[in-house]
Amino acid sequence: MDLLGKIWIVGPCSAESVEQVLATSQALPPGIIFRAGVWKPRTNPNTFQGAGMRALPWLQATRRPTATEVATSEHIHAAVQAGIQYLWIGARTAANPIAVQMLADTLATLPQRPTVLVKNPVNEDAALWLGNIHRLERAGVPVMAIHRGCNHKPCWRMAFELRRQRPDIPLLLDPSHMSGDAKRITELCKKALELEYNGFMIEVHPDPKNALSDSLQQITPKQLTLIIHHLQDHPVPTNDPIELRWRRAEIDELDDQLWSTILRRMQVSDAIGKLKKSQHLPTLQPKRWQQLVDYRRAWAKENGLPTELIDQILEAIHKVSLDRQQ
Ligand code: PEP
Ligand code: MN
């Protein structure tokens, strides 16, 4: 299968059993690197925490190049001993420079250095992502960067910063963690092709509904094959200069934030409306409204925005808020 000249790191969120690992691997096209988490950084301690050490031979049984997440020195030694050539540093570990330095120090002692995939930290922080990459490079390991977004959203601005500062490092997209939603994988893969990413990390499970972790975002191997065919048959437009394509992605990201903020503002205002009703207070509170307008106008002046823009937008938002409260 033509993999579009990209790096593909594909497999389940977690290695659950030898059967699940082999069923997934056997259904995937040749040429991919097989991924599966063995030690899982889960939010809730009552959920599946990964199969641990005993899952390492399952990965080896795929007879593919393999990748797994490491968060401690012990993980690194065990994974490397089990023949795993690619290690990734997860978003939660990537938020802690002391933890990353400890991993780098361990990697520096190995006679054979695995390739390390560095996810962006959980919070939007290009400098920390770059700093982690630097720590690993100083340890002498080959590095790739994985953009997995923050809070189930892409951070194109952060990824562009990384691309600008380190155009020499392969940059991969992880649409699974970026969206948390299997339905959005195709659209995000297209975006990655448009922005000239070097590859993908995608979560694939033979039975996503019953996956022990990240069940909403995993797709079947068959779905992945269909996505790859779709990408082959529908080349993305790449006529515009690359910087323009990145800047447009940034605008889309900001618009998403703007509109979700307006939506959340409406929801808070609805709650205020209910409170006012229950307390028999009038919906329109002119003094409060005037304070809000004055404050925002002064802010606009300081930041070089025309006050008419503030007036128009605030007026429009306020009108809808009042209508909803009544
Ligand atoms: C994963 O890839 O399974 C994972 C836990 O990723 P992240 O650190 O990006 O959440
Ligand atoms: Mn996952």
Side-chain angles (χ1 to χ4, degrees):
M1 180 183 250
D2 165 21
L3 294 175
L4 301 128
K6 302 292 176 187
I7 302 162
W8 294 80
I9 304 176
V10 182
C13 178
S14 301
E16 299 171 1
S17 67
V18 68
E19 292 79 15
Q20 173 247 16
V21 165
L22 293 181
T24 314
S25 172
Q26 281 156 13
L28 288 169
I32 62 122
I33 297 165
F34 184 82
R35 66 146 277 158
V38 161
W39 301 283
K40 298 302 301 177
R42 304 303 302 284
T43 304
N44 181 339
N46 295 322
T47 58
F48 179 61
Q49 307 291 300
M53 298 286 180
R54 71 195 172 98
L56 294 173
W58 308 342
L59 268 66
Q60 242 173 343
T62 63
R63 297 159 164 258
R64 293 187 185 260
T66 50
T68 201
E69 174 167 348
V70 290
T72 67
S73 300
E74 208 186 348
H75 294 165
I76 293 179
H77 288 302
V80 168
Q81 203 153 34
I84 294 174
Q85 294 140 293
Y86 297 85
L87 305 179
W88 82 78
I89 296 186
R92 289 159 192 81
T93 305
N96 179 351
I98 293 179
V100 174
Q101 189 57 51
M102 179 205 55
L103 299 178
D105 292 344
T106 303
L107 287 160
T109 66
L110 300 177
Q112 273 202 339
R113 311 272 161 91
T115 297
V116 179
L117 315 159
V118 188
K119 296 222 187 186
N120 68 259
V122 270
N123 295 314
E124 180 170 358
D125 190 340
L128 182 55
W129 195 10
L130 283 157
N132 287 342
I133 286 169
H134 189 49
R135 286 176 198 278
L136 291 153
E137 286 180 325
R138 283 204 314 207
V141 291
V143 170
M144 297 190 211
I146 303 186
H147 176 202
R148 51 83 76 207
C150 306
N151 299 320
H152 286 162
K153 286 178 194 71
C155 299
W156 302 118
R157 181 173 51 169
M158 172 175 61
F160 186 35
E161 187 59 29
L162 185 109
R163 182 59 119 192
R164 242 196 317 244
Q165 292 204 33
R166 294 302 308 270
D168 54 313
I169 293 183
L171 175 62
L172 276 57
L173 188 93
D174 172 349
S176 311
H177 294 92
M178 178 173 282
S179 66
D181 179 356
K183 290 192 296 297
R184 297 200 50 211
I185 307 296
T186 309
E187 155 211 340
L188 286 167
C189 286
K190 283 185 167 178
K191 199 79 206 159
L193 291 179
E194 194 187 325
L195 298 175
E196 299 181 5
Y197 275 69
N198 305 95
F200 301 94
M201 178 183 263
I202 302 183
E203 287 191 342
V204 165
H205 191 287
D207 182 11
K209 270 202 299 297
N210 291 306
L212 299 182
S213 57
D214 284 349
S215 67
L216 298 178
Q217 71 197 32
Q218 302 201 65
I219 56 175
T220 62
K222 176 99 188 285
Q223 284 172 314
L224 179 79
T225 308
L226 290 174
I227 290 175
I228 297 176
H229 283 308
H230 177 86
L231 297 175
Q232 288 162 355
D233 295 344
H234 300 84
V236 295
T238 50
N239 331 330
D240 289 327
I242 184 70
E243 179 164 358
L244 183 58
R245 284 178 259 154
W246 275 103
R247 288 296 187 190
R248 285 189 175 141
E250 206 175 320
I251 288 280
D252 292 344
E253 175 186 334
L254 289 169
D255 276 349
D256 275 340
Q257 289 170 9
L258 183 65
W259 290 103
S260 350
T261 304
I262 290 177
L263 175 63
R264 274 175 51 201
R265 193 189 190 285
M266 289 296 168
Q267 288 160 347
V268 173
S269 152
D270 290 351
I272 290 179
K274 281 203 188 106
L275 269 174
K276 285 178 185 161
K277 266 210 177 106
S278 72
Q279 309 281 319
H280 309 289
L281 293 166
T283 307
L284 178 65
Q285 312 249 339
K287 211 169 134 204
R288 157 88 180 140
W289 172 240
Q290 198 52 51
Q291 276 171 350
L292 210 140
V293 172
D294 292 345
Y295 177 85
R296 199 51 57 189
R297 277 192 182 149
W299 179 91
K301 238 188 203 144
E302 254 172 52
N303 288 281
L305 278 179
T307 40
E308 305 90 79
L309 179 69
I310 299 295
D311 290 348
Q312 283 168 16
I313 292 182
L314 264 188
E315 191 60 47
I317 293 176
H318 192 229
K319 185 178 178 317
V320 178
S321 285
L322 286 180
D323 289 351
R324 286 164 70 112
Q325 288 190 2
Q326 253 135 27

